[in-house]
């Protein structure tokens, strides 16, 4: 059983780590957008909890963990506080946003997939919900910050694909009874590294064949 591999304390720790790194990315973006302290806290909370909230509502884990565990609520506030006082220099903020976002992406695609499977979803549905868990907070973050979500932009490096790979590795391990703490960590690291490589080498998904759009890449 999956529950024998992931004890409640391990699952809780994985969730909190993912929440913290996503909150860091949200708070850093708020600083770059010149938000005040309340805006920084709000963006940190939304980025950290948005994907997990969606996951819990879909699988019927209600009330969602974000509303029943004080740690889930306080962790983003701690991240917002750290960013408020210790954020990088302006020219380094974007790099910090991207790195923390990639870390959260890897952690949440694994946590979302495993929790969905624990609640009775099939392998394909679990992977899909793992993807939604990973990208949901980032989408809400970008919308609130007044940006088109990176998930939807053709001129942005691969974002959803690394999460899809991480979730796919998890369900592959589930299919062959090979999911352990080590293999789940490897899946998260794989998604994280793929996202970093995509940013480093500007890997992007192809657009429609023979498209006739006049859109140009933003600088």
């Amino acid at each position: 059983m999956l529950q024998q591999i992931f004890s409640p304390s391990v699952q809780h720790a994985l969730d909190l780590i993912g929440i913290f790194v996503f909150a860091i990315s949200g708070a850093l973006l708020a600083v770059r957008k010149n938000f005040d302290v309340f805006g920084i806290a709000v963006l940190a909370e939304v980025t950290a909890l948005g994907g997990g909230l969606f996951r819990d509502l879909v699988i019927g884990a209600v009330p969602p963990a974000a509303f029943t565990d004080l740690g889930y609520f306080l962790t983003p506030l701690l991240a917002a506080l750290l960013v408020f006082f210790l954020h990088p220099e302006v020219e380094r903020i974007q790099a910090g946003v991207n790195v923390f976002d990639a870390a959260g992406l890897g952690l949440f695609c694994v946590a979302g997939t495993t929790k969905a499977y624990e609640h009775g979803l099939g392998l394909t549905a679990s992977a899909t919900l793992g993807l939604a868990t990973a990208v949901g907070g980032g989408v809400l973050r970008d919308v609130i910050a007044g940006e088109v979500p990176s998930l939807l932009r053709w001129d942005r490096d691969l974002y959803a694909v690394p999460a899809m790979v991480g979730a796919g590795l998890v369900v592959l391990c589930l299919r062959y009874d090979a999911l352990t703490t080590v293999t789940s960590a490897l899946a998260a690291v794989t998604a994280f590294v793929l996202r970093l490589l995509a940013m480093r080498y500007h890997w992007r998904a192809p657009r429609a064949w023979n498209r006739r759009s006049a859109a140009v890449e933003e600088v």
Side-chain angles (χ1 to χ4, degrees):
M1 294 294 292
L2 191 61
Q3 290 86 344
Q4 294 176 334
I5 297 174
F6 294 97
S7 67
S9 60
V10 171
Q11 184 65 60
H12 187 256
L14 186 61
D15 277 346
L16 289 181
I17 293 170
I19 285 171
F20 183 79
V21 294
F22 259 28
I24 288 287
S25 76
L28 284 172
L29 181 58
V31 170
R32 186 168 62 86
K33 288 288 186 175
N34 203 30
F35 287 8
D36 62 15
V37 62
F38 180 74
I40 294 172
V42 168
L43 210 60
E45 290 280 356
V46 168
T47 307
L49 302 179
L53 180 61
F54 176 78
R55 172 199 64 200
D56 290 349
L57 290 175
V58 170
I59 64 180
V62 292
F67 293 97
T68 59
D69 190 320
L70 188 61
Y72 282 34
F73 178 77
L74 293 180
T75 299
L77 292 183
L78 174 60
L81 186 65
L82 289 175
V83 170
F84 182 78
F85 288 108
L86 303 174
H87 65 85
E89 296 81 359
V90 175
E91 64 271 14
R92 296 179 57 192
I93 287 178
Q94 186 60 59
V97 170
N98 290 337
V99 171
F100 281 114
D101 187 71
L105 195 76
L107 289 168
F108 269 35
C109 71
V110 172
T113 303
T114 55
K115 189 168 185 179
Y117 188 78
E118 285 177 343
H119 280 75
L121 271 66
L123 294 177
T124 301
S126 295
T128 301
L129 194 53
L131 170 63
T133 305
V135 304
V139 169
L140 290 174
R141 175 201 66 206
D142 292 343
V143 170
I144 292 175
E147 297 188 351
V148 176
S150 298
L151 179 68
L152 305 177
R153 298 191 60 164
W154 65 270
D155 59 341
R156 291 293 182 267
D157 305 324
L158 293 179
Y159 186 76
V161 172
M164 292 171 61
V165 171
L169 289 174
V170 172
V171 297
L172 188 64
C173 290
L174 286 169
R175 173 64 178 81
Y176 293 101
D177 296 322
L179 189 66
T180 65
T181 302
V182 173
T183 56
S184 64
L186 287 175
V189 170
T190 298
F192 173 63
V193 171
L194 281 176
R195 173 59 179 158
L196 292 182
L197 289 174
M199 291 187 293
R200 174 65 178 82
Y201 296 105
H202 303 298
W203 294 343
R204 297 172 183 176
R207 287 179 285 168
W209 187 258
N210 288 330
R211 67 179 184 85
R212 300 188 185 283
S213 171
V216 296
E217 181 173 344
E218 295 181 6
V219 178

